[in-house]
Amino acid sequence: MAHTDTARGAAEEARPAPRKAPGRPTPRGRSLLTRLDRRFLPVVGTVITLVLMLGIGQARYSTESTSFISMRLFSNLLVDNSYLLVLAIGMTFVILTGGIDLSVGAVVALVGLAVARLLIAGLPLPVVLVVGVLIGTLCGLLIGIMVQVFDIQPFIASLAVMFLARGLANVVSVQSLGISDPNFAALAGWSLQFGEGSTLWRISISMVIAMVLLAFAFYLLHYTRFGRTVYGLGAGDDGSAVKLMGLNGERTRILVYVISGTCAGVAGILFAFYTRSGFNLTGIGMELDAIAAVVIGGTLLAGGVGFILGTATGVLVYGLIQVLIAREGLDSWWTRVFIGVVLLAFVVLQRAITVRRRT
């Protein structure tokens, strides 16, 4: 018997080990690669793009007395694009669920005109600012109800609200309305300045509001039950992943559009701070700028994957393209060309990631 057991053991040791399929990583390696692709690769691409652009600017435009990369540069980027950052924050919530919001540019125009008209009518500034934000909130709520309750495609629902907001803006005024209210001007012009001369940079009220909203959105998406539900909605069109986690997908789907609309209302006020006026043609194409910044920031259009800090980086890339175009002395329309090239590259990257995720 002992001899038989020994022979059996020797035979098992001599038996060749199962061969692994060529070219296929181990389960652990495959899991790590998939997780890296899905979560971090788009954002890594965004950061690399930003670093390359900063390197090009540093090499071409720095002098012995001034450096292209400076606090002044980043300050100017945020001052000029604070409203876009706020719009992109709200758009990130929507796209993470697999939706879209085309109304935000029209809402910016409507809010700017409403603020100008109400200030001309003599209403107190705090009331006017609250009304401006609520206009955006109501527009977002309307989209959310159409999408969730009436099962209307987000593209169609937001397109309808876009036409509604743009039409209401024309009702308010077809002329540009200047804002001369002293309290509004004082608030819009508030800033903290640092340095002097060529190293002067500042923190404006628009930057503060945008940074506060960015921090709040980061906490909301990554540290709350609501944030887990947002990502869960983007994981499957039927919301099955959310149901399995015991989360309320119906309410969340409405709330992401409310957040996007509210951010559009805030962005309308920030843009009014920036221009000191309201105009019915403001914001045409601004929704596409916000979507581009979100996609460049690494959020997948299919939903479920993305980071709010990636969106902020995408806005910096967007703004830096404008700066480099201006420094080169090219016409402003070249900005659209380069943004289109960068956006196309990130869409292709997203497609590659999506295909890898399915395999």
Side-chain angles (χ1 to χ4, degrees):
M1 180 69 69
H3 176 73
T4 304
D5 293 339
T6 303
R8 184 181 299 129
E12 291 177 352
E13 291 178 0
R15 184 180 303 156
R19 296 183 63 184
K20 297 178 182 178
R24 297 180 66 86
T26 61
R28 177 177 299 177
R30 183 181 180 185
S31 174
L32 177 60
L33 181 60
T34 302
R35 184 172 58 192
L36 180 62
D37 285 351
R38 291 181 60 185
R39 298 190 59 193
F40 300 112
L41 187 56
V43 180
V44 170
T46 307
V47 173
I48 292 175
T49 301
L50 179 63
V51 171
L52 287 176
M53 293 174 63
L54 288 172
I56 292 172
Q58 182 70 15
R60 289 185 59 83
Y61 310 120
S62 294
T63 64
E64 294 182 358
S65 58
T66 61
S67 173
F68 177 78
I69 301 177
S70 62
M71 287 301 301
R72 183 185 182 92
L73 170 67
F74 291 105
S75 172
N76 290 338
L77 285 175
L78 291 174
V79 168
D80 293 338
N81 297 282
S82 292
Y83 67 91
L84 180 60
L85 176 57
V86 173
L87 279 183
I89 289 171
M91 192 68 72
T92 302
F93 281 84
V94 173
I95 293 180
L96 280 174
T97 64
I100 201 75
D101 187 354
L102 300 178
S103 69
V104 294
V107 171
V108 168
L110 175 60
V111 169
L113 277 172
V115 167
R117 179 65 73 186
L118 293 175
L119 287 174
I120 292 174
L123 270 70
L125 179 61
V127 174
V128 171
L129 297 180
V130 171
V131 170
V133 174
L134 288 179
I135 289 173
T137 302
L138 290 175
C139 290
L141 178 61
L142 181 57
I143 298 173
I145 291 175
M146 286 193 289
V147 170
Q148 179 59 44
V149 177
F150 297 100
D151 198 25
I152 298 175
Q153 289 293 327
F155 181 90
I156 300 300
S158 60
L159 186 66
V161 174
M162 181 187 76
F163 283 119
L164 174 63
R166 189 67 67 180
L168 290 175
N170 290 323
V171 169
V172 174
S173 177
V174 294
Q175 303 292 332
S176 178
L177 298 179
I179 301 176
S180 58
D181 182 84
N183 294 326
F184 184 90
L187 184 60
W190 179 91
S191 66
L192 296 175
Q193 296 187 355
F194 303 89
E196 58 183 12
S198 61
T199 62
L200 178 67
W201 62 280
R202 62 194 179 97
I203 297 176
S204 67
I205 186 65
S206 297
M207 290 172 58
V208 173
I209 293 173
M211 290 298 102
V212 169
L213 288 177
L214 181 67
F216 180 71
F218 177 82
Y219 170 78
L220 199 60
L221 273 179
H222 299 295
Y223 294 98
T224 66
R225 184 183 182 91
F226 174 80
R228 292 193 296 272
T229 310
V230 170
Y231 282 100
L233 285 173
D237 293 335
D238 58 354
S240 57
V242 172
K243 294 178 182 177
L244 289 174
M245 291 187 292
L247 302 174
N248 191 333
E250 292 80 6
R251 181 177 62 187
T252 301
R253 198 181 298 276
I254 295 176
L255 286 178
V256 294
Y257 288 98
V258 171
I259 290 173
S260 180
T262 302
C263 286
V266 175
I269 294 173
L270 297 187
F271 196 76
F273 283 164
Y274 189 67
T275 62
R276 310 291 176 92
S277 65
F279 187 40
N280 64 326
L281 298 181
T282 292
I284 294 179
M286 198 176 284
E287 63 279 351
L288 302 180
D289 295 337
I291 294 171
V294 173
V295 174
I296 293 173
T299 299
L300 297 188
L301 284 171
V305 178
F307 296 91
I308 198 70
L309 294 183
T311 293
T313 308
V315 172
L316 290 179
V317 170
Y318 187 97
L320 193 56
I321 290 175
Q322 295 176 316
V323 171
L324 294 179
I325 292 296
R327 287 292 188 98
E328 289 291 337
L330 299 175
D331 293 331
S332 59
W333 53 265
W334 276 102
T335 301
R336 297 292 181 183
V337 175
F338 282 96
I339 289 173
V341 171
V342 174
L343 183 59
L344 180 60
F346 276 89
V347 168
V348 172
L349 176 62
Q350 288 192 8
R351 178 58 181 171
I353 293 170
T354 303
V355 170
R356 180 180 291 275
R357 182 170 57 177
R358 291 175 179 173
T359 57

